[in-house]
Amino acid sequence: MGRNGTRTAEEATLVIQQMCDVIEHRGPDDEGYHVEAGLALGMRRLSIIDLSTGHQPISNEDGTIWIVFNGEIYNHRELRQELIQRGHSFRSRSDTEVIVHLYEEERERSVERLRGMFAMAIWDQREHKLFLARDRVGKKPLHYVLVGDTLIFGSEIKSLLQHPTVRREVNPEAISDFLSFGYVPDPATAFESISRLPPGHFMTFRNGRIQTRRYWDFNYAGEPAQKPESEEGYYIERLRELIAESVRLRLESDVPLGAFLSGGIDSSTVVAAMAREMGRPVKTFSIGFSESSYDELAYARTVAERLHTDHHEFVVTPDVCRLVEEIVWHHDEPFGDVSSVPTYVVSKMAREHVTVVLSGDGGDELFGGYDRYAVYDRRGILERIPGPIRSLMLRVSRALPPSAYGKNFLRNAALQSGARYVDSISYFAENAKGDLFSAGMRRALRGRDSAQAFKRLFAVPASSDRLDHLLYLDAKTYLPGDILTKVDRMTMAHSIEARVPLLDHRLIEFVQTIPASLKLRGQETKYILKKAVHGLIPEQIINRPKHGFDVPIRKWLKGELRELLYDTLTGKRARERGLLNQREVLALLDEHRRNRRDNARHLWGLLTLELWHRAFIDQQPALKFSGAKKVRLDRLALATGRMTAGCQVRV
């Protein structure tokens, strides 16, 4: 959207078309544009509901309100009935048109009535104002840049970069944060001038000025628990009701629908709820690896057989390494979570059968599922260490050689509570990262500590309980920055919509009232969720050890990815970039090659960082990823097949 009177309508249309063309994968079914003086709106649509009349952009009756919308609103039917009673008329069955009329009635507060996932832009012609909003948790992305008095926005950064006024400049602080966390935290992006609207926020743009406001937040310090810990049965029953309702709402679709099934508690719970609601077998999709220590297909099969699903599997082989550059292109920014690779592949497989999938993402951040929560709880005694002793421990840790036993523990123990947790989840410790950067990069950072990116969250009174505070931190950082970003980009890469029922905001608001002692019981994670799904999913799934969505990247970097890794990190382009200290990069490579240290996580991050520079900074990102580089799915599998078990999306 812009307020730029020098552009003709024809010029504006050409620009907005190119901005939409580059994200065709997000919406291959339809496209639409609305251009008027000072305004250009465009969309790409993946048709899910109301296939024939859900065209966008869409307006109210007199054309004074226009919207482009990405996502799904699950309570649109009840809102529609309410609006009809208020005198509004509708031309379609789409949830998008409901938002238009709701905005007419309630303006900015309309977003608080929506139950779903969304990123939207509404042009209010009467007030000459643009209204942008993002869903509460951050399931859908929304990026923007202000150039003069022109606001440019879109679902993906590569779309913004098609605009002739947007510059491709690196944000040094964001690169530092990426090497700490594996992603760039909101509201920054890897580009100097481009920002990301944080989850649970809306913004207005009028007269060349932006105003941003938060309309929802995770709240662990609000209302006290509805019942005491002793009323465990109450929480179990209410959880079952809310999970069933959340899944049921997400089954509405005019196109085929299925689910990702990892064999963990969260995805198994979602599939079990789907199986109870649907009158036919659920289509489920699972991914495995040829390396047996990483393969979890047996757990997924157990669930599929128990729930009688129409099950599909794919085994990832090292050949998948050829997808790295394509995955980097879809992410728009450097992204260090290597589980993007299997997520990309399982999404590609699922798209051959369905257009919508439900996933179990968010359960760990909601119910306390990560082992690190238990570890952090055990280390609560560290908070009693006096300040002078902390300072001494920090000096000692810095004096020890890099490979010294206990160095990392001493440094971590010396930090304050919030900073200690950030340090424990970081890819590179701050002192190690400082050595990795070139002298020029260190000057540009001016001593920045990446923990500062989350400093505003340390002071938030999330809860008096340590676990609830950690859940709040992860819900505001790792969940939207890593988990939901990965799911959105990798599913949208194949024009498939992912719905996340465990992150329904009404379910979240209830879980926040559950005592922390019912989430982490001693060293048992997800205690209350396990109790709630007892009898719904197999016992061996409930009792299995926690296993993340891990990938044999250490082996791949020594084998199939070795040539790409060395050529990319030690080549002329990387050396001349002047970002990293080449001596430190070579040391990381050598340690990994000699098995002296597992540097796979670090090296993957550095690899994606350099490939991102080449795709987005060295050149204008292509309108489409080169077809010559695309890898066919059927050439990547050792075993793939189907098993009948139990014998923008719109932008």
Side-chain angles (χ1 to χ4, degrees):
M1 181 267 176
R3 294 187 60 208
N4 188 338
T6 62
R7 286 196 179 278
T8 67
E10 183 178 0
E11 289 174 331
T13 301
L14 289 174
V15 170
I16 201 72
Q17 284 178 339
Q18 186 154 322
M19 291 176 68
C20 287
D21 285 346
V22 76
I23 54 172
E24 181 182 357
H25 51 278
R26 295 188 75 92
D29 298 332
D30 190 16
E31 61 182 322
Y33 310 96
H34 174 72
V35 178
E36 60 180 73
L39 172 77
L41 295 177
M43 57 79 61
R44 296 290 322 192
R45 185 185 184 213
L46 177 63
S47 302
I48 303 294
I49 296 173
D50 191 14
L51 306 184
S52 58
T53 62
H55 180 79
Q56 290 188 48
I58 194 168
S59 73
N60 61 346
E61 294 91 337
D62 62 7
T64 58
I65 306 291
W66 286 87
I67 186 173
V68 284
F69 168 75
N70 171 19
E72 299 289 347
I73 303 303
Y74 304 118
N75 63 335
H76 71 97
R77 294 182 184 277
E78 59 191 75
L79 291 172
R80 178 188 297 268
Q81 291 304 312
E82 177 184 325
L83 290 164
I84 290 173
Q85 292 173 6
R86 294 189 190 184
H88 292 268
S89 60
F90 290 82
R91 303 187 300 271
S92 73
R93 294 190 298 108
S94 73
D95 51 354
T96 307
E97 190 178 5
V98 170
I99 302 172
V100 172
H101 295 293
L102 186 64
Y103 178 84
E104 285 187 283
E105 291 284 338
E106 303 188 20
R107 291 301 191 264
E108 284 85 355
R109 294 200 64 181
S110 59
V111 71
E112 300 174 20
R113 302 285 309 280
L114 302 178
R115 188 175 185 180
M117 57 180 182
F118 51 85
M120 69 178 76
I122 298 176
W123 170 242
D124 188 333
Q125 190 182 76
R126 292 172 182 168
E127 297 189 15
H128 213 64
K129 176 178 68 177
L130 186 74
F131 173 73
L132 298 165
R134 190 176 177 201
D135 67 66
R136 295 168 177 82
V137 185
K139 300 168 188 174
K140 288 297 168 187
L142 182 51
H143 306 87
Y144 66 94
V145 57
L146 182 63
V147 182
D149 64 351
T150 300
L151 182 71
I152 305 154
F153 64 92
S155 289
E156 296 189 10
I157 294 175
K158 64 174 67 68
S159 180
L160 277 62
L161 296 177
Q162 303 303 315
H163 196 283
T165 65
V166 178
R167 295 177 295 178
R168 303 189 310 275
E169 296 181 347
V170 177
N171 179 349
E173 292 186 352
I175 300 305
S176 176
D177 293 346
F178 160 71
L179 288 177
S180 287
F181 312 120
Y183 60 92
V184 179
D186 294 331
T189 74
F191 297 84
E192 185 69 56
S193 60
I194 299 175
S195 299
R196 188 164 31 239
L197 185 65
H201 282 68
F202 68 74
M203 62 182 284
T204 56
F205 177 67
R206 179 164 48 186
N207 298 326
R209 297 184 62 186
I210 291 173
Q211 289 186 318
T212 303
R213 198 184 101 192
R214 186 177 67 197
Y215 68 89
W216 186 89
D217 198 6
F218 289 85
N219 182 12
Y220 287 95
E223 294 296 323
Q226 297 178 15
K227 300 279 185 178
E229 178 185 341
S230 59
E231 295 292 332
E232 185 178 297
Y234 163 77
Y235 293 111
I236 290 172
E237 289 305 314
R238 187 66 181 134
L239 265 183
R240 287 178 173 174
E241 292 170 1
L242 286 171
I243 290 172
E245 179 195 36
S246 181
V247 169
R248 182 169 60 253
L249 287 173
R250 285 157 179 78
L251 295 180
E252 181 180 4
S253 175
D254 293 335
V255 294
L257 176 147
F260 290 153
L261 178 60
S262 68
I265 292 176
D266 301 331
S267 66
S268 300
T269 297
V270 170
V271 173
M274 292 174 70
R276 288 192 164 201
E277 294 290 337
M278 297 174 63
R280 59 189 183 280
V282 181
K283 292 182 182 294
T284 53
F285 305 93
S286 302
I287 208 79
F289 296 94
S290 53
E291 293 84 353
S292 59
S293 59
Y294 293 87
D295 188 60
E296 295 189 282
L297 283 177
Y299 292 110
R301 288 184 198 131
T302 297
V303 178
E305 290 170 0
R306 166 75 172 269
L307 300 175
H308 306 283
T309 74
D310 179 5
H311 190 55
H312 304 258
E313 296 180 350
F314 189 91
V315 175
V316 178
T317 71
D319 286 343
V320 79
C321 294
R322 288 180 286 165
L323 294 170
V324 175
E325 292 176 83
E326 191 170 344
I327 289 171
V328 169
W329 185 86
H330 278 290
H331 269 298
D332 280 351
E333 297 181 272
F335 191 76
D337 189 341
V338 72
S339 66
S340 282
V341 177
T343 306
Y344 181 94
V345 175
V346 74
S347 299
K348 187 172 181 65
M349 173 180 65
R351 189 60 174 93
E352 297 174 0
H353 306 274
V354 300
T355 310
V356 177
V357 293
L358 273 63
S359 81
D361 293 294
D364 288 319
E365 292 80 7
L366 191 58
F367 293 100
Y370 295 123
D371 290 336
R372 63 175 179 261
Y373 296 143
V375 172
Y376 194 83
D377 187 66
R378 291 198 301 269
R379 292 185 179 180
I381 193 173
L382 298 177
E383 296 177 15
R384 304 176 188 173
I385 299 175
I389 297 180
R390 288 182 187 275
S391 299
L392 176 62
M393 293 167 64
L394 193 58
R395 289 197 299 271
V396 171
S397 72
R398 289 171 176 168
L400 292 173
S403 58
Y405 180 79
K407 177 183 175 72
N408 291 336
F409 176 80
L410 269 178
R411 183 195 67 253
N412 185 267
L415 299 172
Q416 294 295 329
S417 177
R420 185 166 71 249
Y421 186 65
V422 170
D423 179 74
S424 70
I425 62 174
S426 296
Y427 277 42
F428 286 93
E430 287 301 317
N431 58 334
K433 195 172 61 177
D435 295 335
L436 181 65
F437 285 137
S438 66
M441 183 65 170
R442 289 197 297 273
R443 285 193 297 271
L445 291 172
R446 299 185 297 275
R448 174 183 173 81
D449 182 340
S450 287
Q452 295 172 2
F454 299 154
K455 190 174 182 178
R456 70 190 190 282
L457 302 176
F458 299 156
V460 173
S463 172
S464 59
D465 189 278
R466 284 195 300 271
L467 174 63
D468 281 344
H469 191 63
L470 298 185
L471 295 178
Y472 179 81
L473 283 172
D474 274 346
K476 299 287 287 183
T477 57
Y478 180 68
L479 179 62
D482 187 303
I483 300 298
L484 296 178
T485 294
K486 173 187 66 180
V487 171
D488 175 79
R489 302 309 190 277
M490 296 298 94
T491 54
M492 284 283 91
H494 303 292
S495 308
I496 191 169
E497 177 178 280
R499 300 175 178 177
V500 191
L502 294 183
L503 292 178
D504 181 276
H505 80 273
R506 292 186 182 174
L507 174 59
I508 292 171
E509 289 168 355
F510 173 74
V511 173
Q512 288 172 160
T513 70
I514 299 177
S517 57
L518 291 179
K519 299 167 190 171
L520 180 64
R521 174 63 64 91
Q523 296 299 297
E524 184 179 3
T525 59
K526 289 186 180 173
Y527 172 81
I528 194 67
L529 179 62
K530 292 175 181 177
K531 290 292 185 180
V533 300
H534 179 76
L536 302 177
I537 65 176
E539 283 297 308
Q540 55 264 55
I541 301 302
I542 296 175
N543 298 323
R544 60 171 290 201
K546 172 69 177 173
H547 194 290
F549 199 11
D550 210 355
V551 174
I553 187 62
R554 178 179 183 179
K555 179 179 177 182
W556 291 355
L557 289 174
K558 291 182 179 181
E560 288 73 16
L561 272 175
R562 187 179 186 278
E563 184 176 354
L564 175 65
L565 179 68
Y566 276 79
D567 288 349
T568 302
L569 295 187
T570 66
K572 181 180 178 181
R573 293 170 73 178
R575 295 197 309 271
E576 292 179 347
R577 201 172 302 286
L579 173 65
L580 302 176
N581 180 342
Q582 279 294 306
R583 183 167 51 190
E584 291 297 319
V585 173
L586 291 172
L588 288 171
L589 289 166
D590 186 65
E591 286 178 341
H592 192 76
R593 180 180 63 84
R594 294 173 179 268
N595 292 321
R596 294 180 57 190
R597 183 178 297 174
D598 181 5
N599 290 328
R601 197 180 184 199
H602 304 78
L603 293 173
W604 175 262
L606 296 179
L607 175 63
T608 62
L609 176 61
E610 175 59 25
L611 291 176
W612 169 77
H613 272 92
R614 296 183 182 187
F616 287 89
I617 302 300
D618 295 350
Q619 62 186 9
Q620 173 75 303
L623 286 179
K624 291 185 180 180
F625 188 80
S626 172
K629 295 181 180 179
K630 283 186 176 288
V631 181
R632 285 179 54 187
L633 184 66
D634 58 6
R635 293 178 179 172
L636 300 178
L638 285 177
T640 182
R642 169 175 171 168
M643 174 179 70
T644 302
C647 327
Q648 296 39 31
V649 173
R650 294 154 294 185
V651 179

